[in-house]
């Protein structure tokens, strides 16, 4: 058995909502590339059904709901649309449920109206900026690089006291600049996530832009060195989580009594523009579709045949790769539990990325007496 103690439903619920696929950029590595010209936005009646279909489940089981509004580029959607969503959330979810809204944006569009909207937190309480800093992939439909526009808009956010985080895609074009990327975010005090490419629209796209596991490991260990040598030590994910695993191991104090179990621990659900729902590891694979949140309750989504298949596959991965790991109890196994097909294949061929990273990080932390 993976887990020896009784489990309870995760009280945190997160929806990554593809509000529209429309985007003003044409990043060659984007897994939504073929749909970026589609201007349709999820209709408000469908959103009303969405909120209604999660309400009873959330009232019974959740202490917090996070909505992450994603795209495409969500700031191309009219701001009044989000004001309408806020009214629907208040009407349906009410004050008895704690929820918040965040946006993941390429930040190429930022007018004075956007700035005021974000500063006043009319709808979005958190902001994530997708920005590689270096590389040549973030171009508009005319092929023009948008780096300077994003830099200017980040400065505007900071000038208005608007806090934000960031995501940088780890790909062939950003790989050579990783140290400079860390130094950039460290210099402006913005934590970020380094996100390797783990899915794509075709094998050709993946082959062109993705990195091998060896390259990913080398990149993340370089970030660890940058972090450890920085006076400010700006956090970067997933290293921040893995450093916690390492410190737990060095202290001989396991903090995860159970390994990750998707049945109980899953908290993030991707909602497509048509209402179809997936987990994070099998997104867009019809075999693992959980159902449609515009027409089904959250209870039905969680009990679906597609999710049961995803749970079974996840449990098998954790059983195979995590049960006898020397870091069990310190690492929770979520990396394998939510691994994408690319990550699974890399693990089968080369071993667990997290374990390899911990093998390198732990001696460095011990030597530095961080623990």
């Amino acid at each position: 058995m993976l887990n020896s103690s009784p489990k309870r439903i995760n009280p945190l619920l997160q929806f990554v909502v593809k509000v529209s696929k429309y985007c003003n950029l044409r990043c060659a590595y984007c897994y939504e590339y073929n749909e970026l010209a589609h201007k349709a936005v999820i209709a408000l009646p469908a959103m009303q059904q969405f909120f209604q279909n999660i309400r009873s489940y959330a009232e019974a089981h959740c202490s917090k709901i996070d909505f992450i509004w994603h795209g495409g580029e969500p700031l191309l959607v009219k701001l009044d649309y989000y004001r309408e969503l806020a009214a629907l959330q208040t009407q349906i979810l009410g004050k008895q449920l704690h929820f918040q809204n965040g946006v993941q944006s390429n930040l190429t569009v930022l007018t004075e109206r956007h700035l005021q909207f974000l500063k006043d937190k009319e709808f979005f309480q958190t902001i994530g900026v997708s920005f590689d800093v270096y590389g040549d992939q973030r171009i508009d439909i005319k092929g023009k690089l948008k780096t300077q526009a994003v830099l200017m808009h980040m400065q505007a956010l900071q000038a208005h006291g608007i806090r934000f985080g960031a995501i940088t895609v780890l790909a062939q074009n950003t790989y050579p600049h990783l140290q400079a990327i860390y130094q950039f975010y460290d210099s402006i005090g913005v934590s970020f996530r380094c996100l390797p490419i783990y899915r794509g629209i075709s094998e050709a796209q993946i082959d062109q832009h993705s990195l091998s596991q060896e390259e990913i490991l080398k990149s993340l260990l370089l970030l660890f060195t940058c972090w450890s040598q920085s006076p400010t030590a700006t956090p970067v994910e997933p290293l921040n989580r893995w450093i916690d695993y390492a410190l737990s191991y060095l202290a001989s104090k396991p903090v995860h009594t159970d390994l990750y179990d998707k049945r109980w621990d899953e908290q993030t659900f991707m909602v497509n523009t048509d209402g179809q729902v997936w987990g994070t590891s099998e997104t867009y694979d019809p075999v693992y579709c959980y159902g449609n949140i515009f027409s089904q309750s959250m209870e039905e989504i969680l009990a679906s045949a597609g999710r049961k298949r995803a749970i079974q596959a996840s449990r098998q991965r954790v059983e195979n790769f995590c049960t006898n790991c020397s870091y069990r109890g310190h690492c929770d196994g979520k990396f394998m539990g939510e691994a994408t097909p690319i990550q699974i294949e890399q693990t089968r061929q080369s071993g667990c990325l997290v374990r390899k990273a911990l093998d390198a990080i732990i001696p460095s932390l011990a030597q530095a007496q961080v623990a």
Side-chain angles (χ1 to χ4, degrees):
M1 292 179 61
L2 288 178
N3 301 310
S4 57
S5 61
K7 299 289 289 186
R8 66 183 182 89
I9 294 174
N10 195 320
L12 303 178
L13 191 59
Q14 183 179 78
F15 295 100
V16 177
V17 186
K18 297 283 185 174
V19 63
S20 173
K21 298 297 180 76
Y22 185 55
C23 188
N24 57 341
L25 296 188
R26 292 297 182 269
C27 306
Y29 53 58
C30 181
Y31 65 88
E32 301 282 12
Y33 192 89
N34 290 341
E35 299 186 64
L36 297 179
H38 297 176
K39 294 187 176 182
V41 177
I42 298 177
L44 288 171
M47 286 296 192
Q48 182 175 359
Q49 285 300 126
F50 171 31
F51 299 144
Q52 289 174 340
N53 286 339
I54 67 172
R55 182 177 61 187
S56 64
Y57 175 84
E59 287 175 342
H61 301 293
C62 298
S63 61
K64 182 184 178 184
I65 312 172
D66 281 340
F67 297 97
I68 308 298
W69 302 93
H70 209 278
E73 173 44 49
L75 290 186
L76 291 175
V77 177
K78 293 181 180 180
L79 297 181
D80 281 344
Y81 176 87
Y82 295 115
R83 294 184 177 104
E84 293 275 7
L85 287 185
L88 284 175
Q89 286 179 333
T90 300
Q91 172 191 336
I92 297 167
L93 302 179
K95 296 182 179 180
Q96 65 270 31
L97 288 171
H98 176 46
F99 60 88
Q100 73 171 18
N101 296 286
V103 63
Q104 188 65 40
S105 170
N106 63 37
L107 210 67
T108 57
V109 177
L110 192 72
T111 65
E112 288 298 323
R113 291 186 302 107
H114 286 99
L115 277 170
Q116 197 61 49
F117 185 84
L118 295 172
K119 185 175 182 178
D120 292 344
K121 297 185 177 180
E122 285 193 55
F123 185 69
F124 302 120
Q125 287 78 47
T126 64
I127 303 167
V129 178
S130 300
F131 184 48
D132 295 340
V133 188
Y134 294 91
D136 58 0
Q137 293 302 315
R138 291 191 175 270
I139 57 174
D140 64 16
I141 58 176
K142 297 180 179 179
K144 183 180 178 181
L145 197 62
K146 303 301 291 185
T147 300
Q148 291 305 312
V150 178
L151 286 171
M152 181 177 67
H153 292 159
M154 291 173 107
Q155 291 171 353
L157 289 180
Q158 291 194 317
H160 284 74
I162 302 171
R163 297 178 61 85
F164 60 93
I167 290 178
T168 287
V169 174
L170 179 56
Q172 291 286 349
N173 66 306
T174 55
Y175 177 57
H177 308 287
L178 210 54
Q179 183 173 354
I181 290 171
Y182 182 86
Q183 290 170 345
F184 167 77
Y185 282 118
D186 193 36
S187 70
I188 64 172
V190 171
S191 61
F192 71 105
R193 173 175 292 276
C194 189
L195 185 64
I197 291 176
Y198 282 132
R199 61 169 52 94
I201 57 173
S202 67
E203 291 295 329
Q205 185 196 48
I206 293 169
D207 290 343
Q208 182 180 356
H209 298 288
S210 65
L211 300 176
S212 67
Q213 190 196 75
E214 182 181 354
E215 290 170 322
I216 293 170
L217 178 64
K218 182 179 177 180
S219 300
L220 294 173
L221 293 180
L222 174 60
L223 286 174
F224 172 75
T225 300
C226 293
W227 169 83
S228 63
Q229 294 176 350
S230 167
T232 48
T234 298
V236 52
E237 293 291 350
L239 278 175
N240 203 44
R241 174 192 287 261
W242 297 356
I243 290 167
D244 285 343
Y245 296 165
L247 294 175
S248 167
Y249 180 84
L250 286 170
S252 299
K253 294 181 179 179
V255 294
H256 299 287
T257 56
D258 296 327
L259 287 169
Y260 183 82
D261 187 337
K262 192 179 182 78
R263 165 67 179 87
W264 305 104
D265 297 325
E266 184 174 34
Q267 68 181 59
T268 302
F269 301 86
M270 203 288 291
V271 180
N272 205 6
T273 50
D274 61 0
Q276 289 191 310
V277 180
W278 280 270
T280 58
S281 56
E282 309 90 1
T283 302
Y284 299 154
D285 185 337
V287 173
Y288 297 103
C289 182
Y290 293 2
N292 194 302
I293 198 63
F294 296 165
S295 58
Q296 295 174 279
S297 69
M298 191 64 191
E299 290 85 352
E300 291 174 304
I301 294 291
L302 294 176
S304 68
R307 184 167 186 258
K308 288 178 180 178
R309 285 189 286 269
I311 290 169
Q312 182 179 10
S314 174
R315 284 175 169 170
Q316 190 62 59
R317 291 194 301 270
V318 173
E319 182 78 39
N320 291 344
F321 294 106
C322 303
T323 302
N324 298 317
C325 179
S326 58
Y327 299 121
R328 179 176 179 173
H330 310 286
C331 171
D332 58 6
K334 185 175 182 178
F335 176 82
M336 285 312 308
E338 292 296 344
T340 68
I342 294 175
Q343 290 172 314
I344 295 166
E345 185 58 31
Q346 288 181 342
T347 303
R348 285 174 178 159
Q349 292 180 1
S350 306
C352 176
L353 176 65
V354 179
R355 181 168 183 163
K356 290 182 176 181
L358 291 176
D359 285 344
I361 288 171
I362 286 171
S364 296
L365 290 175
Q367 186 175 3
Q369 297 183 332
V370 173

